[in-house]
Amino acid sequence: MFNLEEELKKLPAKPGVYLMHDASDEIIYVGKAISLKNRVRQYFQKSRNVTPKIQRMIDRIAWFEYIVTDSELEALVLECNLIKEHSPRYNTMLKDGKSYPFLKATIQEAYPRLLFARQMKRDGNKYFGPFTSGKAIRDTIELANRLFHLRSCRRVLPRDAGKERPCLYHQIGQCPAPCQGNVEQEEYRANFEKALKFLQGDTKSVIGELTEKMQQAAEEMRFEEAALYRDQIQSIRAVTERQKITAEDQEDRDIVAMARGGDEAVVQVFFIRGGKLIGREHYYLTGVEDEENAAVLSAFIKQMYAGTPYIPREIWTEEEVEDAAAIREWLSEKRGRKVYFRIPRRGEKERLLELAKRNAFMVLTKDAEKLKEERARTIGAMEEIQGLLGLSGLSRVESYDISNINGFETVGSMVVFEGGKAKKNDYRKFRIRTVTGPDDYAAMEEMLTRRFEHSRREGLTELDSFRHLPDIIFMDGGKGQVNVAEKVLLKLDLTIPVCGMVKDDRHRTRGLYFHDEEIPIDTHGQGFRLITRIQDETHRFAIEYHKQIRSKRQVHSILDDIPTIGETRRKALMRAFDSLEEIRAADFEKLRSVPGMNERSARAVIDFFEEREKSVTYGSEKEGKSD
């Protein structure tokens, strides 16, 4: 049992990170401290004034843990990593980078490429980003490939060199065809290094190198080569001259400005490289309500630069950043050189910051209605359901359904919604083991028992969806299904509200069954629409799983009937082909190429399906005649 007073006495006066947990063991807040003893104790002092958001967080704390570090810098880095891993609901969060892709430079390859990447990985390659526009990344890759004659194919070189003809890009003079050995690795990588400099905004040195080579080629009367260098120089200048914002000092800096509205904020970042504006991005933050601007900027900068490969010399902000000294030290260590925070107060610098701020407000204003609608259909819908049921604090919803055909291959599905949004990573499938025949209640009881018993296992990680208990359970049915769920919860000594989604004669939701009574729903409200989405998603997930099981069983049973096809060859065929139809349509050579198949087994598959086709055709003709 966690004794708060005793645990507070044990806190060390050392730097570290603390993690606040709620009653279901969910990590709801991660923070860092120069002195854990002083910082954590402050949350539980009655005399301390806190914001409503922090008070809501404190009310949910069931226990806390902490990790001691050697310095404030180590605590800051650990805090960044833990926030990214756990996404605590009371931390200010930069919306996840699924929407913000990267440009990946495959420097580990012998002949490297520039690729579009959905996420940054620790694979030894170099990443640029994140960016909000996938189109911008693809356009940049196309431009860099054209300017610096880089390959875009998927061939593994030098392993695949000479195996196939060069592609169209070689024919039009854009790729030097390293796949044919037409270019030395050193020469190709030199061009690739120029492309990397170009992507980092260093166009001046790239143009200088190309100019030298152009002049040398012209002096040696290699005029076609000199013309290629000239065209590259003109293309780079055409790209860089499009942007008008410049700075005389030619420094690398990011200009960070913010606009806020309610619990949302938009941060606009201008990327200045070599004194030129090479791009801009805007980022959404959630959980900013009741937070000071300095704290929001601090949270953004830590999360933004934790996942960005390039850090500039200067970061301009509108005001002082919370924990500025520790963040500056951390960024300087990552960059390998000093990083400075600046707050422009006058002249051209202030104008640039104001321009970024205006852009942030424009994005926030433009998306305000969209954000409002999104909130209404998610969080607003959950609040509407809470009002109907007389409950509070509902976020995680789990919904269950059973699918079978006359008791054949009974399966169950668990669908999860959090904050009114589907959380597909937490969906789970169940194959019912102990129930035979069409007994949905018994199948549901088995599934729920397995689900909630699993949550009590030791060693579950934060990523295991079974670790988190729901705030409410939605059953796809009325009184009977609710009774089954409540029976399981009572047996396992769990207290979770259970609600049935009652359907009318047309199989449409008409109300909610809760506490032994049916509660009508406004069919035009967002709560009703959310319940319908949950119900439809639960059905879809269960039915798709059942179809998948039936399909596999069908394929297994048919392939088992083919002479010479045992378990090993059957698995090889199923790995090589996506469906039974593809196996049926495959020719002799394609079947023969499957690992483990020989001429005899390939011929047996073809003969089997030909005989089967004849049998089906003959049977159909007889049936037609009898009609």
Side-chain angles (χ1 to χ4, degrees):
M1 187 70 179
F2 187 83
N3 187 312
L4 180 61
E5 292 300 325
E6 289 300 317
E7 294 300 325
L8 288 174
K9 290 176 185 176
K10 297 176 186 176
L11 286 164
K14 293 182 178 180
V17 172
Y18 55 92
L19 299 88
M20 302 299 194
H21 293 254
D22 66 8
S24 64
D25 276 354
E26 179 186 352
I27 295 174
I28 58 175
Y29 188 78
V30 173
K32 73 165 184 64
I34 299 175
S35 170
L36 287 165
K37 182 177 182 178
N38 295 341
R39 183 72 180 116
V40 177
R41 287 169 68 92
Q42 285 177 352
Y43 286 103
F44 304 99
Q45 291 172 353
K46 294 181 180 178
S47 59
R48 182 173 182 249
N49 290 325
V50 295
T51 63
K53 174 186 171 183
I54 295 298
Q55 188 57 56
R56 289 195 297 272
M57 185 266 289
I58 293 171
D59 291 342
R60 293 193 61 166
I61 295 173
W63 64 285
F64 64 81
E65 60 180 317
Y66 55 88
I67 303 169
V68 176
T69 60
D70 287 333
S71 66
E72 185 185 5
L73 177 60
E74 283 186 14
L76 186 145
V77 174
L78 181 58
E79 179 198 30
C80 288
N81 293 337
L82 290 173
I83 289 174
K84 186 175 181 181
E85 181 180 351
H86 299 293
S87 300
R89 68 174 65 189
Y90 288 101
N91 281 94
T92 297
M93 293 299 301
L94 176 63
K95 286 197 176 177
D96 198 4
K98 236 183 182 181
S99 311
Y100 304 130
F102 294 82
L103 191 157
K104 175 180 177 180
T106 61
I107 59 176
Q108 297 292 314
E109 295 182 325
Y111 293 88
R113 298 167 292 160
L114 299 176
L115 303 175
F116 180 96
R118 275 288 166 201
Q119 51 187 246
M120 187 169 70
K121 299 178 180 177
R122 293 183 179 179
D123 54 6
N125 292 306
K126 190 163 188 173
Y127 289 82
F128 297 86
F131 302 95
T132 54
S133 170
K135 182 179 183 301
I137 293 179
R138 291 185 176 95
D139 289 347
T140 302
I141 291 172
E142 184 181 346
L143 174 64
N145 285 346
R146 188 172 72 247
L147 288 176
F148 301 101
H149 301 293
L150 305 179
R151 72 184 184 101
S152 58
C153 64
R154 296 182 180 179
R155 296 172 189 176
V156 179
L157 300 179
R159 187 195 71 188
D160 295 340
K163 289 186 178 179
E164 296 180 47
R165 291 185 302 171
C167 64
L168 180 63
Y169 288 109
H170 175 65
Q171 306 298 331
I172 63 177
Q174 185 170 318
C175 176
C179 60
Q180 303 301 308
N182 292 358
V183 59
E184 292 294 330
Q185 187 174 331
E186 293 75 15
E187 181 184 347
Y188 181 91
R189 290 193 76 94
N191 276 340
F192 190 77
E193 289 300 322
K194 293 189 186 74
L196 294 184
K197 288 182 180 179
F198 171 73
L199 292 172
Q200 291 169 346
D202 184 8
T203 56
K204 188 175 180 180
S205 65
V206 173
I207 289 175
E209 288 180 37
L210 291 173
T211 302
E212 281 183 25
K213 291 189 175 183
M214 178 185 70
Q215 291 170 346
Q216 185 178 351
E219 288 171 6
E220 297 172 2
M221 292 188 290
R222 292 180 279 113
F223 298 116
E224 288 186 4
E225 187 178 337
L228 286 174
Y229 291 130
R230 179 204 63 202
D231 293 342
Q232 282 183 300
I233 292 168
Q234 289 175 350
S235 296
I236 293 171
R237 282 177 175 159
V239 171
T240 56
E241 284 172 3
R242 286 178 193 164
Q243 71 96 1
K244 303 298 181 185
I245 299 177
T246 59
E248 293 179 1
D249 57 13
Q250 297 186 342
E251 281 290 358
D252 290 356
R253 61 175 58 94
D254 287 351
I255 300 174
V256 179
M258 178 174 62
R260 298 178 60 165
D263 197 39
E264 303 273 347
V266 171
V267 176
Q268 181 81 46
V269 183
F270 283 176
F271 302 105
I272 309 290
R273 300 294 180 263
K276 293 183 173 64
L277 175 66
I278 65 164
R280 64 177 187 177
E281 302 290 348
H282 63 266
Y283 302 88
Y284 289 100
L285 290 163
T286 59
V288 304
E289 190 178 11
D290 301 325
E291 294 283 358
E292 297 291 335
N293 284 349
V296 177
L297 284 171
S298 175
F300 168 74
I301 288 171
K302 286 187 285 188
Q303 293 177 62
M304 162 78 176
Y305 292 105
T308 302
Y310 181 76
I311 296 170
R313 182 176 183 270
E314 294 182 0
I315 298 172
W316 291 3
T317 59
E318 310 162 70
E319 54 187 88
E320 196 71 39
V321 175
E322 188 176 270
D323 297 327
I327 296 173
R328 187 167 55 242
E329 185 183 353
W330 168 57
L331 293 178
S332 299
E333 191 175 279
K334 283 193 73 177
R335 183 173 184 260
R337 284 177 288 173
K338 274 207 166 187
V339 174
Y340 300 89
F341 285 125
R342 309 286 192 208
I343 305 175
R345 299 296 187 191
R346 63 176 71 87
E348 184 68 18
K349 294 179 179 179
E350 187 184 25
R351 189 186 72 80
L352 280 174
L353 192 62
E354 184 58 35
L355 181 63
K357 191 172 183 66
R358 284 207 304 270
N359 275 269
F361 270 114
M362 285 173 60
V363 172
L364 187 66
T365 305
K366 182 181 71 174
D367 290 350
E369 194 59 37
K370 179 181 173 184
L371 293 170
K372 186 178 177 182
E373 289 175 4
E374 175 68 10
R375 189 192 184 284
R377 69 187 296 272
T378 56
I379 297 172
M382 285 303 301
E383 290 173 350
E384 195 175 311
I385 294 170
Q386 286 179 174
L388 278 171
L389 303 177
L391 299 172
S392 61
L394 299 186
S395 176
R396 183 183 176 94
V397 175
E398 290 185 5
S399 179
Y400 300 87
D401 192 21
I402 296 293
S403 180
N404 64 66
I405 297 178
N406 294 326
F408 171 75
E409 289 290 357
T410 303
V411 300
S413 68
M414 167 182 144
V415 163
V416 180
F417 276 62
E418 274 193 11
K421 295 180 183 178
K423 193 175 183 182
K424 295 194 175 183
N425 286 343
D426 282 6
Y427 286 16
R428 290 296 179 267
K429 305 167 183 175
F430 297 81
R431 289 191 75 164
I432 303 305
R433 303 166 182 163
T434 62
V435 180
T436 55
D439 189 343
D440 285 1
Y441 287 171
M444 183 66 74
E445 183 175 353
E446 180 194 322
M447 175 168 61
L448 291 172
T449 301
R450 285 164 54 191
R451 183 266 178 268
F452 289 110
E453 282 183 342
H454 193 117
S455 68
R456 295 182 168 184
R457 293 182 185 175
E458 293 183 2
L460 293 182
T461 67
E462 195 66 30
L463 299 177
D464 195 318
S465 69
F466 287 138
R467 173 175 179 170
H468 305 287
L469 293 176
D471 298 317
I472 190 169
I473 296 170
F474 278 4
M475 303 301 296
D476 185 45
K479 184 176 181 179
Q481 294 279 25
V482 170
N483 288 342
V484 170
E486 289 178 340
K487 174 184 172 184
V488 171
L489 294 173
L490 182 64
K491 181 175 65 178
L492 298 175
D493 195 25
L494 292 171
T495 305
I496 302 170
V498 182
C499 189
M501 297 179 285
V502 185
K503 295 177 283 290
D504 60 18
D505 295 338
R506 298 182 182 180
H507 209 72
R508 296 179 305 188
T509 304
R510 72 166 188 245
L512 295 174
Y513 183 81
F514 187 61
H515 285 173
D516 295 326
E517 63 175 309
E518 186 175 320
I519 303 170
I521 311 176
D522 176 9
T523 56
H524 301 290
Q526 291 291 353
F528 174 79
R529 290 171 186 163
L530 175 58
I531 291 166
T532 303
R533 287 199 301 276
I534 293 171
Q535 192 170 39
D536 291 345
E537 183 70 351
T538 310
H539 276 304
R540 179 199 66 78
F541 193 55
I543 291 168
E544 280 189 2
Y545 182 43
H546 193 250
K547 283 181 179 177
Q548 179 186 344
I549 295 294
R550 293 202 320 268
S551 174
K552 283 184 178 179
R553 185 180 178 91
Q554 181 186 27
V555 170
H556 282 209
S557 61
I558 290 177
L559 295 182
D560 285 340
D561 291 339
I562 304 175
T564 76
I565 302 298
E567 183 180 356
T568 301
R569 284 176 178 156
R570 183 192 71 203
K571 288 180 178 178
L573 286 168
M574 291 178 68
R575 280 193 295 267
F577 299 95
D578 290 335
S579 66
L580 186 64
E581 289 304 315
E582 283 194 16
I583 298 173
R584 189 198 309 271
D587 58 22
F588 177 82
E589 291 301 325
K590 203 165 185 179
L591 290 167
R592 177 68 183 83
S593 66
V594 174
M597 295 287 285
N598 54 29
E599 292 184 8
R600 181 167 170 246
S601 57
R603 177 54 59 193
V605 172
I606 291 172
D607 291 346
F608 174 82
F609 283 114
E610 283 180 354
E611 288 298 322
R612 185 179 174 85
E613 192 68 32
K614 288 177 185 176
S615 173
V616 171
T617 303
Y618 177 68
S620 298
E621 288 173 355
K622 284 183 67 179
E623 192 175 329
K625 288 176 182 177
S626 66
D627 288 340

